[in-house]
Amino acid sequence: MSESPRPVTIDQPVTITVNGSEVTAQKGELLIDACERAGTYIPRFCYHSRMSPVGMCRMCLVEVDTGRGPALQPSCMLECGDGMSVDTESAKVRKAQDGVLEFLLINHPLDCPVCDKGGECPLQDTTVAYGPGESRWVEEKRHYEKPIAISATVQLDRERCILCDRCTRFADEVAGDPLIHFMHRGSNTQVNTFPGEPFSSYFSGNTVQICPVGALTATPYRFKARPWDLEHAESTCTTCSVGCRVSIDTSRDEVLRYNGVDSDPVNWGWLCDKGRFGFEAIKHEERLVAPLVRSGDSLVAARWNDALDAAVAGLRSVPASSIAVLGGARLTNEAAYAWAKLAKGVLGTDNTDCQLGDGLPADAVLGLPVATIDDVCRPGGTVIYLGPDPKEALPVLFIRLRHAIVNDGVKVVELTPQSTSLTPLAAASLTYRPGEAGVLAEAIAAAHGAGAAGVDAAGVDAAGVDAGRIAAASDLLAQASGPITVVIGRPSVAESASTVVDAIGAIVRRFPDATFLPALRRGNVIGALNAGLAPGVLPGRVRRADAAEWFGAAWPRVPEVDGEDAAGILRAAAEGRIDTLVLLGADPLGDFPDASLAEQAFIGARRVVAIDLFLTESARRATVVLPATGFAETDGTTTNIEGRVTQVVRRVTPPGTARSDWQLAVDLADRLGADLGFESLADIQAEMDELSAVHAGLTVAAAASDLDGVVLPLVSATVADPAEADATGSDSASASDSPAAEATAADATVADEPASDADPETAADVDDGLIPAPAPLAFVAPAPTTVPALDAYAARLVVGSTLYDAGTMVRHARSSAGLGPAASIRLHPLDHSQLGLGTSGRVRVINGARSTVLTAVADGSVARGTAVMIGGLEGGDDSALIDVTAAVTDVRLEVVS
Amino acid sequence: MSRFNEANEAIAHEIIARYPRPKSATIPLCHLAQEQDGYLAEDAMAHIAELVGITSAEVMGTATFYEMFKLAPVGRYVINICTNISCQLVGGEELLEHAESTLGITSGSTTADGLFTIEDVECVAACTEAPACQVNYRYQHRVTPEAFDTLIADLRAGRRPEIPDHGTLGATRQHISEDRVANITPPEQQVEPAWYAARNATGGESA
Ligand code: SF4
Ligand code: SF4
Ligand code: FES
Ligand code: FES
């Protein structure tokens, strides 16, 4: 286990002597860390640099002289002070280490040959390095039933436990789920759960990683490999967009586990269980292994040649506006760029959206100044949180936020339509009436931190929140030290994105120097947005209209008009205006908030080309299905919520003949007679560097060389000098012979003859500054959304998210499948009792023509007049109720007899 | 057995209100539950967890540390017989054997009628009165086998009213009226005493 000492800034240097050499340490830094940084490793079991020291194991004893003569002290509990002198190798220290290990081994079974930890076990390694050669213990050792399952995935062999308190401390301090605890005492002390209450934490897998012995093991890895047979490679988890760094451990072309890697600005070594055990999905036997082509009612396996021909058949000779590409958030940055180039630069359609109705408009994500996770968690800072429950959507972001709030005095003002995991931690949590986030944000801005006076000024309740609480929140924000950071996302898919955008507008007006961290969930959604896979934008955080000339000079063509977003695309399909719908890892039938619209779109679309890992509900209805590579099967880079680009690596062979997404874009373009100009990832990266302002100067080498990656945008060296650009800016002649100039009609079809590709000359024009670099996209607050009043007989719906929803990857990961909560609709107890049900009963939930039947549950945390559901659950049917064209979703409830 | 009954839940709330943090009431509430049921039931621990806002695992972790919280039902009278050195010298072990044979159980178990549990314990700090034992933690001094038989007979006949059922801490319950509740400001909100603040301000720590 190589947990490294936490990075430290030395602004109060003290000098200590370690084994005779002088070392500079930060005052107050723990001695164990200071020594390690200076190259002197002190053995330890209980100490972990990301948790508070407890001094449980005594393995870190060293001789310390603080002026009163040398004495044995635990170095994990001792803060460095000036003049401290440390001996880590004295005879006394050796004896202490030897003794501590002998004690620890008294009850330890020494079953290394059958223990999963053997070979990478700190107890084993430390015993060899520092311990006694033999045990003097002849008595019987402790015995326990072995192993016991403390959660669905974590097993505990209690007799191996050395009671270091790491797992229990993690559960309590880091995850905030103290469901495991030391029980009993003396030699009977053991880690255990309360009977019938398993350690069902989203973060339980971390305890396996940090356990210094083989007491905790994870079911997916138990007895699967020996550590010395594993190969490790650093990569980034793309299950959600926090972008935790992982080590992918493989053996014989199979992924066997992930471990967290400590990236200081991101995950601190932690992972969530969905990410950690997500590898089970990529090696699932239902992975697509060959292309499928529709023949009558069924999909039949086809050769790649035929499948690609069938796929392009619907892309050739059709108007650009009748082509749409949905999805792309699963892709690497490079694949997203290749697809953006295929869709926008070859097919000429701007109907692309990497979000499926659960995100925010591109300009709200790309056009606002970005806050990093560290900015949001800056000690003493103040944060506005308006997004999905972080624990459910972006689990490790929750860990960082929780730490910031609990340990670093960060104050969070939460705006939410339902209580979340942040609610008990937030300095202020305001529960607004669904759809009225904008109204609430305006009210907070209007109160302007004027305290009681502010209440008089605003004076009124807004969005169902009382004036006093609004004033208090406003005060908190006004007293913030340093700029406010804002986390933005979708608290509920039952209220439109525009209601959140309204709130963002109000926040931007009130706090002009605020920075924003998007809380969007899909793996590489930010990367896909940066690559231009959204309507109205082109790669590099630029508007289509502003950058048409720039890209027109390098690409065969650029879209003539702004396209539609996911909802618009599906509506167009439903209305018969879409000839070919390309699904880039998107599953609208299973994963779009408005099921009836998705269904109609599938009826209306003439052909559907699905590119996916699994035969999703949507892929089943496709005309052509192309199998793509999954995580750990493809190289590239990914971008997290902060815009941080890190490397993902290929470690195993994809199943069957699955191809990487970028290769598919190249293949399809090829068949359309266009050459994307990409023969390798490096080609794509080179073009991104050249054409995309945010990616300029980014090399994979740079992203790969630093385990923390690099945050975009970099200071760009290649964007044209504005002065030079001004001189030639109006001179469109340089662009007039570019391919874009030829494609003028909005409905132009893809030329049958090979379109001229990005030739070096045109790219050079761009580089030479002959064409002005497009202005970076800026967020412009649109006119506020009108939210209808809630009538007295209806309840306003909130649809939140949960980590273990019935999504494709969760269903195919054995450890996570089935862990999701049961579907229900939760109501305030008074609203619930008004229905005249018992403690729980079935209700028909009706929104106009849409309806579904659910179990109604009384829940005191739900606000009156609202009804709360969790989205994406098996049998949850939230998408049966939502109309994405409406700002809010009001439902009526009828008791089902 | 069970969660708190209504009367005890009211008492629980009263106890919680005495502390700056609800969690601090965990141990007093474990006692209350033990008083209600004679032992600390699982449901009671879950109820305590709800009341003080921690997890059941934390309540159980705390409770299992203490020998005197019983996690399984015990007799109405728990008899602790000291077998440590002072008592041993004057018949402690014989007393234990006598108790085991007359009650027909071994140390650590409970009679079938649910009346008596015997435990052998280390020194209970009554060495001057050896051999000593306790019934529900009430001292019995210089206990000869005959005295033990009388004790058992008296307990069976209800002639020892001063010894309440197992789990009862005291004959009367402490009630602190609201005006007498001590300062329950949480530590982090306490104002530092002036002398302490002054000492810290002048860098007193290194002095
Ligand atoms: S199970 Fe492992 S991590 Fe937990 S206390 Fe025991 S040795 Fe430490
Ligand atoms: S928080 Fe997100 S990125 Fe991190 S391990 Fe979990 S799913 Fe992966
Ligand atoms: S590492 Fe210091 S006591 Fe365990
Ligand atoms: S030895 Fe029995 S009371 Fe002290």
Side-chain angles (χ1 to χ4, degrees), chain A residues 237 239-240 242-244 271-272 275 395-396:
Chain A
C237 175
T239 310
C240 84
V242 174
C244 301
L271 300 179
C272 73
V396 170

Side-chain angles (χ1 to χ4, degrees), chain A residues 751-803:
Chain A
D752 272 340
E753 76 276 2
S756 50
D757 54 51
D759 66 68
E761 273 80 24
T762 40
D765 284 352
V766 168
D767 233 15
D768 294 346
L770 294 174
I771 299 172
L777 187 160
F779 170 75
V780 180
T785 319
T786 325
V787 178
L790 176 65
D791 77 57
Y793 303 101
R796 191 153 279 178
L797 195 63
V798 176
V799 174
S801 51
T802 182
L803 191 64

Side-chain angles (χ1 to χ4, degrees), chain A residues 27 172 177-186 192-195 197, chain B residues 42-43 45-46 55-58 60-62 64-67 71 205:
Chain A
K27 184 171 191 288
D172 183 20
D177 298 319
L179 297 166
I180 44 174
H181 205 277
F182 283 142
M183 306 278 180
H184 306 283
R185 69 165 169 182
N192 216 327
T193 60
F194 188 73
E197 261 178 51
Chain B
E42 257 172 41
D43 285 354
M45 286 190 276
T55 63
S56 313
E58 288 175 296
M60 189 165 172
T62 306
T64 52
F65 182 81
Y66 299 98
E67 175 65 22
L71 268 74
E205 59 169 347

Side-chain angles (χ1 to χ4, degrees), chain A residues 45-46 56 150 156-158 160-169 180 182 190-191 207-208 210-216:
Chain A
F45 294 115
C46 67
M56 295 281 282
I150 57 168
L156 168 63
D157 286 288
R158 284 169 291 178
R160 287 186 191 144
C161 171
I162 58 165
L163 303 175
C164 71
D165 196 22
R166 278 186 168 200
C167 56
T168 38
R169 221 175 337 149
I180 44 174
F182 283 142
Q190 55 182 276
V191 172
T207 60
V208 174
I210 60 176
C211 179
V213 297
L216 293 168

Side-chain angles (χ1 to χ4, degrees), chain B residues 82-88 122-128 130 132:
Chain B
C82 177
T83 53
N84 213 303
I85 186 73
S86 306
C87 295
Q88 188 193 37
E122 304 307 326
C123 178
V124 290
C127 309
T128 52

